[in-house]
Amino acid sequence: MIRVETSAELREWTAARRRAGDTVGLVPTMGYLHEGHLSLVREAKRRGHAVVMSIFVNPLQFGPNEDYDRYPRDLDRDRALAERVGVDLLFTPSVEEMYPEPLQVTLRVGSWADRLCGASRPGHFDGVVTVVAKLFHLVGPDEAFFGEKDFQQLRIVQRMVRDLNFPVAVVGCPTVREEDGLAMSSRNQYLNPEERRIASALPRALRAAQERAAEGERRSRTIIDQVEQQLRTAGLVIDYVSIVGEEDLEPVETIDRPCRLLAAVYVGKTRLIDNIALGPEKER
Ligand code: AMP
């Protein structure tokens, strides 16, 4: 595995791989790697790509009162994990390398950025698409791999590619979970043992909702009420619980097409998100 910190070296390497006839797969991350990140690399490798992983904690996507400064970082550990899973090039730019001067031109997401996670994180998705666009330009991947764990992000990046004609296919990969169902996340690191125990109520509530929908409950309101009650009883503070169309992220009243139930909760100071498929063809 090669590690580079500059855009120039990155471009040189990807150009050489292309000349050698390889396709390139990109896995963008903020590091503090776990099995969820590694599953994206495995999928990229399975598809035969030369795999670029980026590790960059992107200041543009953090709000002023969010956890940018204390976001967990451990580059030595990440490097070993990336190498072991078969990353070919690890790109670890500094903030100065990515943003040598304050950006004058950025991307802005429309109404999809005002709902779900966007409602409590203003500017977040603008920061995400801006850095992803830069990474797409720097790497020129054939395919880029994103987790369904961040479902709204996945759909927004797919939409960016469609709206702005990026020549890349965005591949969504299933959420990797701990044994008790909690979605893996670098932020799980923040939880103390008691919080960690309580956190498992989130995937449990989503699972229960999926079962109710599979049994025939079609009213979103009923399912959302039950999920909210279950989360509150467990001691979680709700940011949102919402059911939207799988493709268009529009709120649905009746679950008569493929949908996603998405939720964000606070356990103490830590914000956790998760989502699950509901409705026809998606019930598993
Ligand atoms: P992050 O480092 O949290 O920005 O995540 C980098 C990429 O890994 C994003 O595409 C995430 O959706 C994906 N990811 C994070 N956690 C998981 C997980 N538990 N399962 C699958 N993908 C994940």
Side-chain angles (χ1 to χ4, degrees):
M1 186 181 78
I2 298 168
R3 180 162 82 103
V4 304
E5 297 182 352
T6 67
S7 309
E9 291 166 291
L10 172 64
R11 280 188 193 277
E12 214 171 286
W13 185 89
T14 49
R17 295 305 291 249
R18 283 194 181 290
R19 279 196 303 275
D22 287 332
T23 57
V24 176
L26 170 65
V27 179
T29 81
M30 298 203 300
Y32 212 75
L33 300 179
H34 51 66
E35 210 34 58
H37 298 116
L38 304 186
S39 74
L40 304 180
V41 176
R42 289 198 192 94
E43 181 58 23
K45 292 196 72 72
R46 202 183 63 76
R47 293 174 181 231
H49 298 303
V51 179
V52 174
M53 173 186 270
S54 59
I55 296 183
F56 180 60
V57 184
N58 174 33
L60 278 196
Q61 70 189 67
F62 286 79
N65 296 315
E66 293 187 350
D67 55 347
Y68 176 72
D69 287 329
R70 63 185 192 111
Y71 195 84
R73 295 161 166 91
D74 187 343
L75 199 49
D76 288 341
R77 184 173 156 276
D78 285 352
R79 198 180 338 187
L81 286 171
E83 174 137 41
R84 202 175 315 150
V85 75
V87 167
D88 294 291
L89 181 135
L90 185 63
F91 178 50
T92 57
S94 64
V95 173
E96 294 69 35
E97 178 68 21
M98 288 299 276
Y99 305 120
E101 53 195 334
L103 297 184
Q104 194 61 245
V105 178
T106 59
L107 289 182
R108 202 184 66 77
V109 180
S111 63
W112 280 10
D114 303 332
R115 61 192 67 171
L116 306 167
C117 285
S120 50
R121 305 190 70 187
H124 168 68
F125 288 111
D126 293 350
V128 169
V129 290
T130 298
V131 79
V132 169
K134 282 175 71 84
L135 289 168
F136 282 2
H137 285 132
L138 288 171
V139 176
D142 296 272
E143 295 190 301
F145 297 82
F146 289 79
E148 287 185 354
K149 154 84 184 354
D150 301 280
F151 191 78
Q152 187 177 11
Q153 168 176 282
L154 169 64
R155 282 289 179 263
I156 288 174
V157 170
Q158 286 173 327
R159 190 59 190 263
M160 171 187 90
V161 161
R162 204 162 83 214
D163 285 355
L164 301 180
N165 304 92
F166 279 76
V168 52
V170 174
V171 180
C173 300
T175 302
V176 178
R177 297 175 179 282
E178 303 285 358
E179 247 174 45
D180 65 353
L182 183 67
M184 290 193 184
S185 164
S186 308
R187 290 190 168 99
N188 292 349
Q189 158 81 9
Y190 298 146
L191 304 173
N192 68 32
E194 173 63 4
E195 291 170 336
R196 173 63 188 81
R197 195 183 60 72
I198 294 172
S200 66
L202 176 57
R204 262 204 313 283
L206 298 190
R207 266 284 181 198
Q210 191 182 48
E211 277 163 29
R212 273 192 295 275
E215 286 160 12
E217 179 56 70
R218 288 285 170 259
R219 288 164 299 180
S220 289
R221 192 65 258 166
T222 307
I223 291 185
I224 290 169
D225 286 346
Q226 287 173 340
V227 169
E228 290 190 343
Q229 196 184 350
Q230 214 172 326
L231 296 174
R232 285 202 190 94
T233 306
L236 298 170
V237 174
I238 295 167
D239 178 5
Y240 70 83
V241 177
S242 188
I243 299 177
V244 300
E246 170 91 11
E247 299 300 331
D248 61 12
L249 300 184
E250 294 295 342
V252 297
E253 279 179 25
T254 309
I255 305 163
D256 51 8
R257 59 189 171 108
C259 293
R260 279 275 155 173
L261 166 59
L262 300 97
V265 299
Y266 289 91
V267 199
K269 286 200 177 100
T270 305
R271 188 170 177 281
L272 299 177
I273 60 171
D274 201 350
N275 67 85
I276 200 162
L278 295 184
E281 292 160 46
K282 288 287 177 178
E283 280 154 2
R284 319 182 249 257

